[in-house]
Amino acid sequence: MTASSTRRTTAAYSRLTAVGAIAVAGALLLTGCGDQTKGKDNGSGSASTSNAPLADKLPKEIRDKGEIKVGSDIAYAPVEFKDSSGNVVGLDPDLAAAMGKQLGVKLTFENGTFDALLTGLRSGRYDIAMSAMTDNKNRQEGVDPDTGKKVGEGVDFVDYLTAGVSIYTRKGDTKGITSWADLCGKKIAVERGTVSEDLAKQEAKKCPSGKKLTIEAFDDDQQSQTRLRSGGVDAASSDFPVAAYAVKTSGGGKDFEIVGDQVEAAPYGIAVAKSDTQLRDALQAALNAVIKSGEYEKILEKWGAQDGAVKESAINGGK
């Protein structure tokens, strides 16, 4: 879930390419995205540490445990969600499985609400957080974007994808919305703690008297989609890969449409505690190995996210 900044992208990603690939994934999988219960398989398999090329880069306690616990909001198709059998699937789990093979450990996804993932990371509930989370300075430094005040220890990010943010409406009922500026006097549904909420708050401050922008924030993106589908709001917003997937799959493609261009392109990052530099560097090495092998490109193509590919993983590349 992309976090806020003020710049807009100069070129939107190719929707036809992304949505076309998403259609293939959508045809193969029944999303079951709203299921927040623990699935039969919430982990990503890996080779044993004795056979893994990068196992020695991991901290000893992780190698001994053979597992990395991953905090994730598992209701954000196609990035991470549960299929009809309750298994955790998506772009992030596939990348995690590929990285696990390099490191010789299993990356186990544990479900949580998005706005509580970094708290869970700081408390030790998770070893890392991987959930379409945007790498930005506020999160790196532990700063509340609304108040500008430091509210906790920041995190480091291992960047793995670039994505922007989109607005979508009910199909054939756009209410004249083509950009964020058109939302004044209307209602929008967003997921709490994401850039969509931040951008909506920023836009609300600009609206003239008598044209209030009403923001309804939910725990997960599926609730936002349900609210829009029922007509309770005029629009919803989420990261472009998620919005495109919803447009393609919800109601067989009859429920929603994307309006306007995506904005705020920024890197997704795997969040790691500041103190866990060895784990952070091991993850970066594993991701770069997956990129170099060509498996990274195949995973992104599978989930319609190839336009957001990076050539090399960066640490804290977000602004």
Side-chain angles (χ1 to χ4, degrees):
M1 297 84 178
T2 313
S4 65
S5 66
T6 55
R7 68 188 186 285
R8 293 184 180 268
T9 59
T10 55
Y13 301 140
S14 168
R15 291 179 189 162
L16 292 178
T17 300
V19 174
I22 286 168
V24 175
L28 295 173
L29 293 166
L30 296 175
T31 64
C33 306
D35 180 7
Q36 290 280 326
T37 60
K38 194 168 185 176
K40 294 179 181 178
D41 179 9
N42 68 334
S44 299
S46 68
S48 67
T49 53
S50 61
N51 299 323
L54 300 177
D56 61 347
K57 290 186 175 293
L58 285 169
K60 185 178 183 301
E61 60 269 24
I62 295 287
R63 290 201 309 271
D64 292 345
K65 187 170 57 172
E67 179 186 49
I68 296 174
K69 291 184 178 179
V70 184
S72 188
D73 171 21
I74 309 173
Y76 209 59
V79 185
E80 50 259 321
F81 62 106
K82 292 183 179 180
D83 66 13
S84 58
S85 298
N87 297 318
V88 179
V89 296
L91 186 153
D92 280 358
D94 281 359
L95 282 178
M99 293 166 66
K101 291 176 183 177
Q102 295 290 329
L103 296 168
V105 294
K106 182 177 182 179
L107 279 77
T108 304
F109 279 69
E110 298 189 1
N111 196 27
T113 57
F114 182 75
D115 60 351
L117 294 180
L118 293 186
T119 301
L121 177 61
R122 286 192 290 265
S123 70
R125 178 178 178 182
Y126 315 122
D127 297 310
I128 63 176
M130 188 175 187
S131 191
M133 184 176 291
T134 295
D135 169 8
N136 64 40
K137 291 298 182 183
N138 284 336
R139 286 175 176 152
Q140 291 171 23
E141 298 170 2
V143 173
D144 185 315
D146 290 332
T147 65
K149 295 181 179 179
K150 190 171 180 63
V151 293
E153 183 180 349
V155 296
D156 285 337
F157 285 99
V158 179
D159 297 341
Y160 64 95
L161 187 76
T162 300
V165 180
S166 292
I167 301 171
Y168 57 103
T169 66
R170 289 185 299 283
K171 194 164 189 176
D173 187 22
T174 66
K175 309 289 188 183
I177 299 169
T178 60
S179 69
W180 287 89
D182 297 325
L183 291 170
C184 292
K186 297 179 174 64
K187 296 180 181 180
I188 187 169
V190 297
E191 181 172 356
R192 191 173 290 109
T194 64
V195 71
S196 296
E197 183 179 26
D198 292 342
L199 286 174
K201 288 178 179 178
Q202 292 173 19
E203 200 61 48
K205 294 177 181 178
K206 304 174 188 175
C207 291
S209 177
K211 294 193 70 176
K212 177 183 177 182
L213 168 56
T214 301
I215 303 166
E216 296 189 11
F218 296 92
D219 285 340
D220 64 58
D221 196 67
Q222 289 303 304
Q223 294 173 7
S224 294
Q225 291 182 26
T226 299
R227 184 65 168 154
L228 175 61
R229 194 181 295 110
S230 70
V233 293
D234 301 302
S237 175
S238 58
D239 291 356
F240 173 71
V242 177
Y245 189 90
V247 166
K248 190 64 184 180
T249 61
S250 182
K254 297 178 180 179
D255 287 348
F256 305 132
E257 66 177 282
I258 290 177
V259 293
D261 293 330
Q262 61 176 307
V263 301
E264 307 296 330
Y268 282 174
I270 302 168
V272 187
K274 289 283 188 185
S275 58
D276 287 344
T277 55
Q278 187 178 356
L279 176 58
R280 178 200 69 192
D281 294 347
L283 292 168
Q284 183 190 33
L287 181 56
N288 280 329
V290 173
I291 292 172
K292 186 176 180 180
S293 73
E295 188 171 4
Y296 171 82
E297 183 179 358
K298 293 177 182 178
I299 291 170
L300 265 59
E301 287 178 352
K302 174 182 176 181
W303 297 108
Q306 62 270 33
D307 287 334
V310 297
K311 295 182 178 179
E312 186 177 22
S313 172
I315 299 293
N316 295 333
K319 305 301 182 184

